[in-house]
Amino acid sequence: MKAIYFFVSLLALASSFASVYDPNPLQDFCVALNDTQNASICKDPKVVVAEDFFKHVDPGNVVNKLGSNVTPVSVNELPGLNTLGISLARLDFAPKGLIPPHTHPRAIEIFTVVEGTLFVGFVTSNQNNTNHLFTIVRNKGDVFMFPIGLIHFQLNMGYGNVVAISSLSSQNPGVITVVNAVFGSTPPISPEVLTKVFQVHKKVINYLEKHI
C-alpha cells in the first residue's frame, strides 16, 4: 500500500511540473485566430496559409531614454506559434543602451549576440539568504541563457549599435520590468509600503513614481 501511495505522489508531482510549461501540441499546428488569445481556438486548417507562419522584423527604434528596443515575435505577432511553446524577440541597442532588470515568468531565455558587445547578467533567488549575481561580457556569436523567472538585464557598454536575438520557451513568456512594477503599477503600491522597503522619505518615492 505504501508503494502505491508513493507512486501516486510521484504522478501528482510530475503533473504539477508539467502544468508549469506550455503543453505539447496534439496536432501539426494550431494557428491562432486573429481575434482570440485562447490557445484552444484554432484557425480552420483548410484556410491556413504560409503567411500564418511568417513575420518580418525590422530594426527597432532606439531613440528613447533607455536607448533600446525590444521587438517581440510571440503568438500575438505570429499566429502560427500557437501551442508550439516557443517565441523570440529582436533586441536593438544604441551605444550605452540598456534593457533594464526584468523577468519572464513563463520562460527560459536563450540570448544570442548577433552584432556588437553586451554586458549581461542575472540574479538568483534568495537561496541561503543570498541573491547571487552572475555577469559576463558577450560578443558577436556568443550565446547566454537566463533561467526561468530570474531577474536579468542587458547593457551595451560600447560605442556602436548592438543587435541580439532572444529565444524563449513559451509562446507567451510575459515580461515584468522590475522598476515599472514597483514604481509604476496601476493602482500604485502604497507609499507606506515603499518607504518601509527602501528606507527613504516619501518625497523620494513620489519622485521615482513621477519619473517612471
Side-chain angles (χ1 to χ4, degrees):
M1 184 63 70
K2 289 183 178 180
I4 293 174
Y5 285 145
F6 178 71
F7 180 67
V8 170
S9 299
L10 282 179
L11 287 177
L13 184 62
S15 131
S16 68
F17 280 128
S19 65
V20 173
Y21 302 98
D22 292 353
N24 290 327
L26 299 177
Q27 62 280 318
D28 291 340
F29 52 79
C30 172
V31 174
L33 293 173
N34 291 332
D35 60 350
T36 181
Q37 297 304 313
N38 189 336
S40 66
I41 301 178
C42 307
K43 188 175 181 180
D44 185 342
K46 295 184 180 66
V47 297
V48 168
V49 294
E51 285 72 17
D52 291 322
F53 306 97
F54 171 79
K55 171 70 176 179
H56 177 77
V57 180
D58 288 312
N61 182 5
V62 295
V63 181
N64 54 62
K65 61 183 179 180
L66 292 176
S68 67
N69 188 283
V70 177
T71 306
V73 183
S74 67
V75 67
N76 298 322
E77 294 77 28
L78 185 59
L81 288 174
N82 193 34
T83 75
L84 298 182
I86 192 170
S87 60
L88 62 81
R90 173 180 171 136
L91 284 63
D92 291 277
F93 299 81
K96 306 300 181 181
L98 169 72
I99 293 180
H102 63 283
T103 176
H104 302 291
R106 296 181 290 275
I108 301 164
E109 179 176 353
I110 298 179
F111 188 82
T112 305
V113 181
V114 177
E115 195 66 48
T117 299
L118 285 173
F119 175 65
V120 303
F122 68 85
V123 182
T124 66
S125 60
N126 57 344
Q127 302 176 50
N128 302 317
N129 296 317
T130 301
N131 297 98
H132 188 77
L133 172 65
F134 292 90
T135 62
I136 194 168
V137 174
R138 296 290 79 187
N139 301 299
K140 179 178 179 179
D142 288 342
V143 177
F144 193 72
M145 71 155 291
F146 303 113
I148 187 170
L150 297 188
I151 295 171
H152 56 281
F153 61 87
Q154 299 99 347
L155 171 67
N156 179 4
M157 300 181 68
Y159 295 95
N161 288 351
V162 172
V163 178
I165 297 295
S166 170
S167 303
L168 299 135
S169 63
S170 171
Q171 69 176 37
N172 188 20
V175 60
I176 302 171
T177 303
V178 176
V179 66
N180 291 349
V182 174
F183 295 106
S185 67
T186 304
I189 297 174
S190 168
E192 184 177 357
V193 173
L194 298 180
T195 54
K196 188 75 170 179
V197 169
F198 294 102
Q199 295 292 294
V200 296
H201 194 275
K202 183 179 177 181
K203 290 182 178 179
V204 177
I205 300 301
N206 291 340
Y207 175 84
L208 291 171
E209 289 178 336
K210 182 179 178 181
H211 288 80
I212 295 303

